[in-house]
Amino acid sequence: MSELKTLFLDQSDVKKCGGGNISKFIETMEEVFSLHDKGDYILPNKTVLRWGDMDSESQTGRINSMPGFIGGKFNTSGIKWISSSPNNPFKHHLPRAAGIIILNDPETLMPVTVMDGTLISAMRTGANSGVVAKYMAKKNSKVLGLIGAGVQNRTQLMAIYHTVPTLEKVKITDLNAERAKNFANEMKKVIPLPFEIVNSAEEAVRESDIFITATVTETPIVKSEWIKEGSLYIHVGSHECEFDVINQSNKVVVDDWGELKHRGVETISIMYKENEFDETNLYAELGEIVNGKKAGRENDTEKIYFNSCGLGIQDLAIAKIVYEKAIRENHGQWISFWDQPSFV
Ligand SMILES: NC(=O)c1ccc[n+]([C@@H]2O[C@H](COP(=O)([O-])OP(=O)(O)OC[C@H]3O[C@@H](n4cnc5c(N)ncnc54)[C@H](O)[C@@H]3O)[C@@H](O)[C@H]2O)c1
């Protein structure tokens, strides 16, 4: 009766339960941002464990704790605990980031599942951009420029390809040429488009209708003068563009302005701290556009800039869907914390 059983789902279980399904993720992110705009969520600020000041994150990494509650049909609370060690891919053949998600029962608040959050985290970040492209990419967008040949740009590409059927070409660049080559070889097996490996961020940005930065750069790599009219810039990493890129955009859209101000490492949050960005110039949060309170793209000439901080509620919503499917289809492994709780 008092036994506490929890469902453990490893990455292969998460995959069996839809963890690789980009269209489901995009649909779910749209629902999450709609609830975000309606205020049907609780999101304590992300806490960041690091071994020094903000700059130390690029060397010794960080671990983020991202608790939250998301309402609507999800009605779930929990946490994502996710590490980031930028040297992992180069020194240890490990991904930069690895995460665990725990969900808690809505009534007893007992932990009901512990699952891999690495795949979910990467997929939801891509899917988020799928929603952004749906509302803010120019109709007829043909060229996608990707800067950074890591995990995130793989899921970014999957989501943009899914949302933008007019796409004709992908440009990819990375400081590490080998990574760019591997990216193109791997991704052309799943995305039937021509890939061009280019040698600089400038080449990836110029003439692109949509471009995405998902790098671990410590210094800005995107300049305003490279950006053409009508483009959509999706900024996934931290301080990846010059201040002018944001100043010259016609619309500045974010996932959650409060979270970005709190996190403090993204270009726009640095600008805000340095009094270089007046928050009245923020056009919208994504949920306002999803809910139709504000227009997305309105013409083929505006330059739109989107930046995400990443929200725990995105991960928790997906985790809830995965958990429910796992229960229905009998995936994963039950672990027992106790038969009878014992306090002495
Ligand atoms: N906004 C969000 O919700 C969110 C979610 C997850 C990750 N991220 C961020 O996305 C970024 C990428 O994550 P990842 O998992 O793909 O990392 P990764 O380590 O797999 O890949 C990053 C790539 O960036 C490349 N790079 C570094 N400096 C560069 C430069 N100046 N020009 C071109 N390439 C450069 C590296 O060589 C590496 O291949 C990280 O900054 C991470 O914090 C954001």
Side-chain angles (χ1 to χ4, degrees):
M1 176 76 78
S2 316
E3 185 183 6
L4 176 60
K5 279 170 74 187
T6 297
L7 186 61
F8 175 73
L9 299 169
D10 68 16
Q11 195 167 89
S12 69
D13 297 319
V14 170
K15 261 196 193 148
K16 285 177 207 148
C17 299
N21 183 341
I22 197 69
S23 65
K24 182 74 184 165
F25 271 60
I26 294 171
E27 182 191 310
T28 307
M29 287 307 104
E30 203 161 354
E31 288 173 278
V32 166
F33 279 98
S34 173
L35 291 168
H36 179 263
D37 174 56
K38 290 176 186 155
D40 194 0
Y41 70 101
I42 302 168
L43 194 59
N45 288 137
K46 203 179 272 194
T47 44
V48 183
L49 171 64
R50 61 176 160 246
W51 289 262
D53 60 13
M54 278 184 186
D55 291 342
S56 71
E57 289 184 30
S58 60
Q59 292 310 316
T60 42
R62 62 170 185 264
I63 314 180
N64 283 352
S65 125
M66 300 166 69
F69 162 81
I70 179 88
K73 73 173 193 197
F74 304 107
N75 186 30
T76 195
S77 53
I79 188 165
K80 177 174 75 167
W81 174 242
I82 186 155
S83 60
S84 165
S85 183
N87 296 324
N88 274 355
F90 305 99
K91 272 174 75 179
H92 304 293
H93 299 291
L94 284 168
R96 176 194 60 81
I100 292 172
I101 298 172
I102 301 171
L103 293 185
N104 295 71
D105 182 80
E107 189 180 336
T108 65
L109 305 185
M110 292 286 131
V112 291
T113 182
V114 178
M115 69 180 77
D116 171 58
T118 310
L119 177 64
I120 290 177
S121 187
M123 291 291 288
R124 67 76 154 144
T125 309
N128 191 358
S129 300
V131 178
V132 172
K134 173 176 169 182
Y135 290 95
M136 287 173 261
K138 190 175 58 178
K139 277 197 188 63
N140 250 331
S141 290
K142 290 187 167 49
V143 181
L144 171 66
L146 299 173
I147 300 137
V151 170
Q152 301 304 325
N153 260 339
R154 283 167 165 74
T155 56
Q156 295 290 318
L157 171 57
M158 287 160 71
I160 302 296
Y161 179 71
H162 183 84
T163 319
V164 183
T166 51
L167 218 58
E168 288 180 355
K169 179 172 142 180
V170 180
K171 291 190 276 182
I172 172 78
T173 189
D174 195 289
L175 266 191
N176 182 316
E178 192 62 23
R179 287 204 115 204
K181 207 168 110 197
N182 292 342
F183 183 104
N185 286 338
E186 190 185 313
M187 294 310 290
K188 68 185 173 199
K189 291 181 194 145
V190 275
I191 305 289
L193 287 176
F195 283 73
E196 185 188 348
I197 299 170
V198 295
N199 294 322
S200 65
E202 178 172 356
E203 286 174 85
V205 171
R206 278 195 195 273
E207 303 310 318
S208 287
D209 301 303
I210 305 169
F211 63 95
I212 303 175
T213 49
T215 73
V216 289
T217 185
E218 291 160 49
T219 49
I221 46 176
V222 176
K223 288 189 194 303
S224 175
E225 65 256 32
W226 305 339
I227 301 175
K228 71 169 186 177
E229 277 192 350
S231 62
L232 168 65
Y233 172 21
I234 300 177
H235 182 160
V236 177
S238 300
H239 188 18
E240 295 179 307
C241 66
E242 291 185 347
F243 289 0
D244 235 20
V245 170
I246 295 173
N247 287 331
Q248 301 293 321
S249 297
N250 301 98
K251 285 180 177 156
V252 176
V253 181
V254 298
D255 55 355
D256 182 309
W257 179 231
E259 268 298 291
L260 274 162
K261 281 194 286 189
H262 170 78
R263 182 70 177 94
V265 294
E266 298 78 5
T267 307
I268 197 166
S269 6
I270 297 169
M271 285 171 78
Y272 177 75
K273 271 190 297 194
E274 296 180 2
N275 290 321
E276 296 280 344
F277 181 75
D278 176 350
E279 60 190 334
T280 58
N281 290 331
L282 185 72
Y283 174 70
E285 290 187 328
L286 181 55
E288 295 177 275
I289 294 178
V290 167
N291 283 343
K293 288 184 179 165
K294 299 226 174 119
R297 174 171 293 277
E298 291 172 281
N299 59 58
D300 280 355
T301 56
E302 57 191 356
K303 295 179 185 175
I304 303 186
Y305 170 85
F306 174 79
N307 184 215
S308 61
C309 180
L311 313 176
I313 53 176
Q314 298 173 269
D315 303 284
L316 302 180
I318 298 285
K320 181 67 183 286
I321 292 173
V322 166
Y323 170 65
E324 286 179 340
K325 193 166 159 74
I327 298 278
R328 277 198 311 274
E329 297 180 2
N330 212 11
H331 295 297
Q333 199 183 327
W334 287 98
I335 49 177
S336 176
F337 281 85
W338 62 63
D339 292 333
Q340 283 291 327
S342 166
F343 302 103
V344 286

